Amino acid sequence: MTGAPAVPGAAHRASPAPGVLARTYALTVVAYVPLLALLLVPDLMRSRAGSEAMLAVGMTLLSALVVAALVVAAVVVAPEVSAKAAPQGDLWRFGRARARVRTLVRARRRAYFLRLGEFAVLCLAAQGAGGVLAWAMPYIRENPAHGTDPTQDARILDYPNYAAQAVVIYLVTCCAFAWYATRLRALSLLADPE
């Protein structure tokens, strides 16, 4: 018998090389700057809805848009960013990484969905990290002047605290994209599924 025998679960345990992960993360931080720009605009996160019903509709639509954007960014962009940061011959190169991922989905569906699950968990961790920072450094505080002058807003935005939370969420989300893409790269290089 030539070569090493296939080890059950080896594809699941394939981990990216630290250098590859670092290069992919650095490029991801640059590639997803438009996401950071959106996170830094507080008016996108605050409701201007006139009623509770409109607020519910707006929050549902915003949540759907965010999930759709994350899925597109993960499925379409992340593999190509990884291939640009750490190409590997014809198996993992810019312009072919998405096709390679489609092949992995067909050939190794379970391994692919495990990586997608890791991505989802890391995205939730980004929200958790932002929540912890918001708890430690609240970005909304009561406006004492509102009690005497009802024309003023009841709450005041502390933008530096808000921006700090946005940056933390962004950096951890970029970590999720980089981890997901480098795990796909490792799976792709582990064995040719075609």
Side-chain angles (χ1 to χ4, degrees), residues 24 28 78-82 92 176-186:
T24 303
T28 298
E80 295 295 345
V81 169
S82 170
W92 196 256
F177 286 124
W179 177 259
Y180 166 74
T182 53
R183 290 276 285 152
L184 286 178
R185 179 185 183 273

Side-chain angles (χ1 to χ4, degrees), residues 32-46 157-171:
Y32 288 100
V33 164
L35 175 62
L36 177 61
L38 288 174
L39 288 172
L40 290 172
V41 179
D43 284 341
L44 294 178
M45 305 302 155
R46 295 188 330 186
L157 174 73
D158 184 337
Y159 190 77
N161 287 1
Y162 178 85
Q165 181 188 14
V167 168
V168 165
I169 290 172
Y170 175 70
L171 292 176

Side-chain angles (χ1 to χ4, degrees), residues 7-24:
V7 178
H12 172 64
R13 291 189 299 272
S15 295
V20 170
L21 182 59
R23 287 194 310 272
T24 303

Side-chain angles (χ1 to χ4, degrees), residues 25 29 119 121-130 166-179:
Y25 181 74
V29 168
F119 170 71
V121 167
L122 288 172
C123 281
L124 289 174
Q127 294 301 313
V167 168
V168 165
I169 290 172
Y170 175 70
L171 292 176
V172 179
T173 301
C174 284
C175 179
F177 286 124
W179 177 259

Side-chain angles (χ1 to χ4, degrees), residues 63-176:
S63 297
L65 181 63
V66 168
V67 168
L70 284 175
V71 168
V72 167
V75 172
V76 176
V77 181
E80 295 295 345
V81 169
S82 170
K84 188 73 167 174
Q88 184 68 43
D90 279 341
L91 288 178
W92 196 256
R93 66 181 168 88
F94 186 72
R96 279 203 22 90
R98 281 185 295 156
R100 188 72 178 161
V101 170
R102 285 192 299 273
T103 301
L104 287 172
V105 170
R106 286 191 305 272
R108 299 219 169 110
R109 186 172 304 274
R110 182 176 181 271
Y112 171 77
F113 282 108
L114 285 171
R115 279 149 182 79
L116 194 60
E118 292 170 1
F119 170 71
V121 167
L122 288 172
C123 281
L124 289 174
Q127 294 301 313
V132 167
L133 192 63
W135 173 76
M137 299 170 47
Y139 60 87
I140 297 287
R141 60 185 167 86
E142 297 297 321
N143 184 356
H146 178 71
T148 57
D149 184 2
T151 61
Q152 291 194 19
D153 284 339
R155 296 183 178 161
I156 298 173
L157 174 73
D158 184 337
Y159 190 77
N161 287 1
Y162 178 85
Q165 181 188 14
V167 168
V168 165
I169 290 172
Y170 175 70
L171 292 176
V172 179
T173 301
C174 284
C175 179

Side-chain angles (χ1 to χ4, degrees), residues 42-56:
D43 284 341
L44 294 178
M45 305 302 155
R46 295 188 330 186
S47 169
R48 298 286 185 218
S51 70
E52 290 296 318
M54 288 304 294
L55 175 61

